[in-house]
Amino acid sequence: MESGNQQRAMHLAVFAQGLGVAHSVWKSPRTAPERLHTLEHWAETARIAEEGRLDAVFIADALVLPDSIGADVGERPDPVAVLSALSAVTSRIGLIGTSSTTYNDPFTVARQFATLDHLSGGRAGWNIVTTAIAGASGNYGSAELPEHEARYERGEEFVEVVLKLWDSWEPGAIVADRATGVYADPGRVHEIGHRGKHFQVRGPLTVPRPPQDRPLLAQAGSSPTGLNLAARFADMVFTTQYDPEASRTVVRTVRELAAAKGRSPSDVKILPGLTPILGRTEAEAKDLAHELGSLISPEATLTFLGQAFGGIDLRDHDLDGPVPDIREQLPAHAGVSRPALLIGTALAEKLTIRQMIQRVGLSIGHRCLVGTPDQVADDMALWFETHAADGFNVIPADLPGGLRDFVDEVVPRLQDRGLFRKEYTGTTLREHLSG
């Protein structure tokens, strides 16, 4: 329990990636690849999540087609377009989409998410990323991906501009008085006049003030630079953590950084990723994990790892040999937290490259929980109650079946423990995240 009589509320989002995050899961009879690019597929996923009273459906993005497309699903639809469609077929669940600060413009992003917030009645969220995949540069006219620190410097100013644009319309700016013929009060609509190192933006935005004032801001990444950005701006932080003590350290760090920046520490929710693979018995869950694991294409997972490692290709090594310590070899444009966690864990557990492929291939490197609904609920409750997490970004290995299993079997157990809502109490994403 928290101070007074207010109980902490667990927060849950679903990471909706295509047919699921398990590599080559399209070969499983649990999926329907022919439906991947239909509204029906995405709508079914979002409706299941809303049925479970989850805070949000989260759609990530990738700006380059992977070399493994011959063997595995690798295409990504535009998140904002998909979420705009989902706003019409859902009524309560939050809609969070990724948009890159490296390969976008602040005015465009501000307008897209303000529009989504209006269409959805205040359910929009922007996941801020700086893009660490080197191949994306070739799709945007750049010779190479900027270095990590440079990407975050630009990213921070990018967010500043977006926030100014959302604030460029004051509340009540639209009058719509037919009798006087006054549609909007020009005195409440302002240019922002931003002139910075990376951007010069006049404003105002072409879309009125969003229903939430500011759509929710999410951030993914646990590097020191990423956590500083999260502490300054983010309402929700998606992380990759395997150990509860390490996760508690991240939680404490973000809380302290947020307080130092003048924010209330409790305003930032930390949601580690979690891939649940469920069965009525532990043996049945392990059988499903083995079945999905048997579909994994090493080629697809090696491509994924190569992107995570900034272009370093583990195909040059014996797959049945130990994972090499390449942390000092990572290029300056590579991500920081994910490579450090994957390589550090593999070295600590003395994994072979093939064993790492198998583990990463099921959950794109997030923590995978294989067990009964009670076992998964027990684990989630332990992390939550010991302040290792404010909730979880649920990352199904297959969609929509894996999400259906979670909503039908795990969510009721969390509700019965009083850890998760039985009904929505608000209408906006910010209201879902309160508590």
Side-chain angles (χ1 to χ4, degrees):
M1 300 289 289
E2 298 295 294
S3 58
N5 295 318
Q6 185 177 7
Q7 186 175 8
R8 282 175 73 223
M10 183 182 288
H11 297 284
L12 297 174
V14 59
F15 182 101
Q17 178 176 302
L19 300 171
V21 299
H23 289 162
S24 301
V25 75
W26 66 271
K27 294 183 286 187
S28 169
R30 288 171 60 91
T31 66
E34 68 279 3
R35 298 180 68 224
L36 175 56
H37 296 292
T38 66
L39 177 57
E40 288 74 20
H41 168 75
W42 294 96
E44 181 178 2
T45 297
R47 285 168 174 153
I48 292 170
E50 189 168 68
E51 180 185 322
R53 307 302 188 259
L54 272 60
D55 293 70
V57 55
F58 163 48
I59 300 180
D61 200 9
L63 301 178
V64 62
L65 190 68
D67 294 338
S68 59
I69 188 65
D72 200 7
V73 172
E75 67 267 39
R76 297 284 186 90
D78 181 83
V80 177
V82 174
L83 293 171
S84 295
L86 294 182
S87 71
V89 297
T90 58
S91 61
R92 303 296 284 276
I93 194 162
L95 305 167
I96 301 175
T98 294
S99 193
S100 171
T101 61
T102 303
Y103 297 114
N104 267 310
D105 179 272
F107 192 90
T108 299
V109 170
R111 184 170 66 162
Q112 287 176 326
F113 284 95
T115 300
L116 178 60
D117 208 45
H118 281 286
L119 292 175
S120 63
R123 295 185 284 135
W126 169 32
N127 180 47
I128 305 161
V129 301
T130 64
T131 302
I133 301 175
S137 60
N139 289 335
Y140 288 86
S142 302
E144 59 185 19
L145 187 69
E147 294 185 358
H148 179 83
E149 296 300 317
R151 294 201 309 274
Y152 272 96
E153 179 189 87
R154 173 188 163 96
E156 189 157 344
E157 185 181 339
F158 193 114
V159 180
E160 290 173 0
V161 177
V162 169
L163 293 176
K164 288 178 182 179
L165 287 166
W166 285 339
D167 286 339
S168 64
W169 290 66
E170 293 181 20
I174 294 182
V175 179
D177 188 330
R178 290 187 175 92
T180 62
V182 175
Y183 178 71
D185 179 355
R188 295 184 181 184
V189 184
H190 309 283
E191 294 183 2
I192 68 170
H194 178 89
R195 298 189 64 82
K197 179 177 179 180
H198 300 278
F199 305 106
Q200 290 78 46
V201 182
R202 184 182 64 190
L205 196 61
T206 58
V207 181
R209 191 176 189 86
Q212 294 182 103
D213 290 330
R214 295 177 172 184
L216 180 134
L217 296 180
Q219 187 268 347
S222 301
S223 70
T225 311
L227 292 182
N228 265 296
L229 180 72
R232 182 178 177 192
F233 296 118
D235 305 291
M236 178 185 289
V237 182
F238 299 134
T239 67
T240 305
Q241 297 295 333
Y242 302 152
D243 175 74
E245 184 53 47
S247 191
R248 278 189 286 273
T249 298
V250 171
V251 171
R252 286 194 298 269
T253 299
V254 173
R255 299 269 194 265
E256 291 166 0
L257 289 170
K261 296 177 187 299
R263 300 183 65 194
S264 171
S266 62
D267 286 347
V268 188
K269 309 300 183 186
I270 316 298
L271 277 64
L274 174 67
T275 295
I277 298 180
L278 299 164
R280 289 169 295 185
T281 64
E282 188 173 350
E284 187 176 288
K286 289 180 177 178
D287 285 344
L288 177 57
H290 182 268
E291 175 188 328
L292 296 176
S294 69
L295 304 175
I296 291 172
S297 162
E299 182 70 18
T301 307
L302 286 167
T303 297
F304 174 82
L305 289 171
Q307 291 178 339
F309 298 159
I312 295 178
D313 195 342
L314 294 182
R315 294 176 183 86
D316 297 334
H317 300 267
D318 178 6
L319 297 189
D320 293 309
V323 173
D325 189 352
I326 58 172
R327 287 174 291 187
E328 297 299 322
Q329 303 171 34
L330 296 173
H333 64 253
V336 173
S337 57
R338 179 68 69 87
L341 180 64
L342 293 179
I343 297 168
T345 301
L347 292 172
E349 298 184 21
K350 297 181 171 57
L351 299 181
T352 66
I353 294 176
R354 195 178 302 278
Q355 288 171 326
M356 183 168 72
I357 287 171
Q358 194 66 25
R359 183 176 297 186
V360 171
L362 269 180
S363 62
I364 59 172
H366 286 276
R367 192 166 66 104
C368 190
L369 266 180
V370 180
T372 66
D374 283 319
Q375 289 173 324
V376 171
D378 287 345
D379 182 279
M380 295 174 69
L382 178 63
W383 277 56
F384 177 72
E385 290 170 343
T386 60
H387 296 269
D390 295 309
F392 299 90
N393 193 17
V394 180
I395 305 176
D398 63 283
L399 282 171
L403 177 61
R404 169 56 70 189
D405 292 345
F406 180 82
V407 164
D408 285 352
E409 300 297 338
V410 178
V411 167
R413 287 164 167 81
L414 297 173
Q415 292 170 331
D416 289 344
R417 299 176 187 215
L419 298 177
F420 189 65
R421 69 172 72 87
K422 292 186 176 182
E423 296 294 340
Y424 290 113
T425 56
T427 59
T428 69
L429 179 51
R430 286 195 175 279
E431 288 172 330
H432 298 343
L433 208 64
S434 64

